[in-house]
Amino acid sequence: MKINKRFIAVGAALTLSLSAVTMAAAPAFINILTGGTSGVYYPIGVALSQLYGAGIDGSKTSVQATKASVENLNLLQAGRGELAFALGDSVSAAYQGDVDAGFNKPLDKIRVIAAAYPNYIQIVANKESGIKTLADLKGKRISVGAPKSGTELNARSIFKAAGLSYKDMGKVEFLPYAESVELIKNRQLDATLQSSGLGMAAIRDLAATMPINFVEIPEDVVLKINNPAYQHGVIPASTYEGQTTDVSTVAIENLLVTHNGVSDDLAYQMTKIMFTNLERLGIAHSAAKTISLENATKNLPIPLHPGAERYYKEVGAL
């Protein structure tokens, strides 16, 4: 049988062309790892998902509710997400492989997309409990977030700096935001420590339901933590219903993190779309209104993703 070499060549060219089209059409999966649905990470993650779905050709986006920082970073290392929210101190601990913080080995694949907005440690108590200061928490019932979550790591650091431990409490629960608030409403808990952006839904709900006290974290306690990720911050008066004065507390920067398996082009597009749509993110949650190019690359505990770095150099932010 005589083989037509020209036919073979044309067929090969068509096969290559079809392969190229198939490769070009391969969807970009973007799973965004957030936190509990009553926190701040989740609504901002939903807004980012919508922006990426509309702005990145062929993208398939999803938003995953999680236990936040520690779980998110471990999922990124395993390649089970493309973008995640995490607290700066958790990111640093993850890169170093801090076992006590929930990281069995150094997470060497994680990379930063941007510093985002600060979390504020918000300790609130049922007014009837009489809790007004950190010392008043002794013997009381408190929830400190899911075990080894970013929030719970914050709680341990703050209590230690204040000369307290879990053993001093009457009862310690390890629950997410919404569940903690429900137990306070039902008089089954006295207080909760929550690490989140300002104006979080769970505390707004609690403040609208019953009289509460905000427990201050004095600046000298913040200094005793001796960790640059922990800075003194203020919850401004009237952030929540019934809160008539500023509240001294701890502020910790949130980071948007990815991993080195995400392509440079996808990381570039995720970064660019976020910073060209900050107004949309601010509508999703007021905490996002403080995200800025000016602060995006400051004091990062781990390397930037090269795709994000390309965007920052392009706009003169690096």
Side-chain angles (χ1 to χ4, degrees), residues 40-41 43-45 47-48 51-52 83-85 113-120 197 253-256 270-297 311-312:
V40 175
Y41 288 171
I44 298 176
L48 281 172
L51 289 169
Y52 293 157
L83 187 68
F85 292 82
I113 289 290
Y117 62 88
N119 257 22
Y120 292 82
E253 196 70 19
N254 282 294
L255 305 179
L256 280 163
M270 289 195 297
T271 310
K272 181 176 182 177
I273 288 172
M274 180 176 73
F275 281 103
T276 52
N277 289 276
L278 290 181
E279 188 174 339
R280 283 275 302 277
L281 296 184
I283 293 170
H285 198 285
S286 59
K289 291 178 180 177
T290 60
I291 299 174
S292 70
L293 267 175
E294 183 183 357
N295 295 321
T297 60
Y311 174 73
Y312 294 128

Side-chain angles (χ1 to χ4, degrees), residues 6 15-16 73 115 147 159 164 177 229-230 232 239:
R6 184 180 176 189
T15 301
L16 285 170
L73 294 166
F159 290 159
L164 298 168
Y177 301 151
Y230 290 72
H232 178 253
T239 299

Side-chain angles (χ1 to χ4, degrees), residues 13-154:
L14 282 170
T15 301
L16 285 170
S17 297
L18 287 170
S19 297
V21 169
T22 302
M23 288 175 66
F29 292 101
I30 306 173
N31 186 29
I32 301 175
L33 307 169
T34 59
T37 55
S38 62
V40 175
Y41 288 171
Y42 189 81
I44 298 176
V46 169
L48 281 172
S49 173
Q50 292 168 347
L51 289 169
Y52 293 157
I56 299 175
D57 288 343
S59 63
K60 292 185 177 295
T61 64
S62 57
V63 180
Q64 184 173 340
T66 68
K67 294 177 183 176
S69 298
V70 176
E71 182 181 6
N72 289 353
L73 294 166
N74 281 312
L75 286 171
L76 280 182
Q77 179 75 11
R80 293 170 60 189
E82 284 65 49
L83 187 68
F85 292 82
L87 284 163
D89 60 326
S90 294
V91 174
S92 178
Y95 203 63
Q96 294 166 22
D98 185 337
V99 175
D100 290 337
F103 305 104
N104 294 327
K105 62 180 182 179
L107 305 191
D108 58 350
K109 296 180 181 179
I110 58 175
R111 299 291 184 269
V112 174
I113 289 290
Y117 62 88
N119 257 22
Y120 292 82
I121 304 301
Q122 301 171 66
I123 306 176
V124 295
N126 178 357
K127 199 165 190 174
E128 293 175 358
S129 70
I131 298 170
K132 295 180 180 178
T133 68
L134 287 170
D136 293 337
L137 291 169
K138 287 184 179 181
K140 297 298 196 296
R141 303 164 299 173
I142 186 170
S143 176
V144 293
K148 290 190 175 179
S149 63
T151 295
E152 199 257 317
L153 297 180
N154 297 159

Side-chain angles (χ1 to χ4, degrees), residues 177-199:
Y177 301 151
E179 287 88 335
S180 301
V181 162
E182 286 305 311
L183 289 180
I184 293 176
K185 287 181 185 178
N186 296 331
R187 272 60 176 188
Q188 293 172 277
L189 276 181
D190 300 306
T192 178
L193 180 150
Q194 308 201 353
S195 176
S196 181
L198 295 177

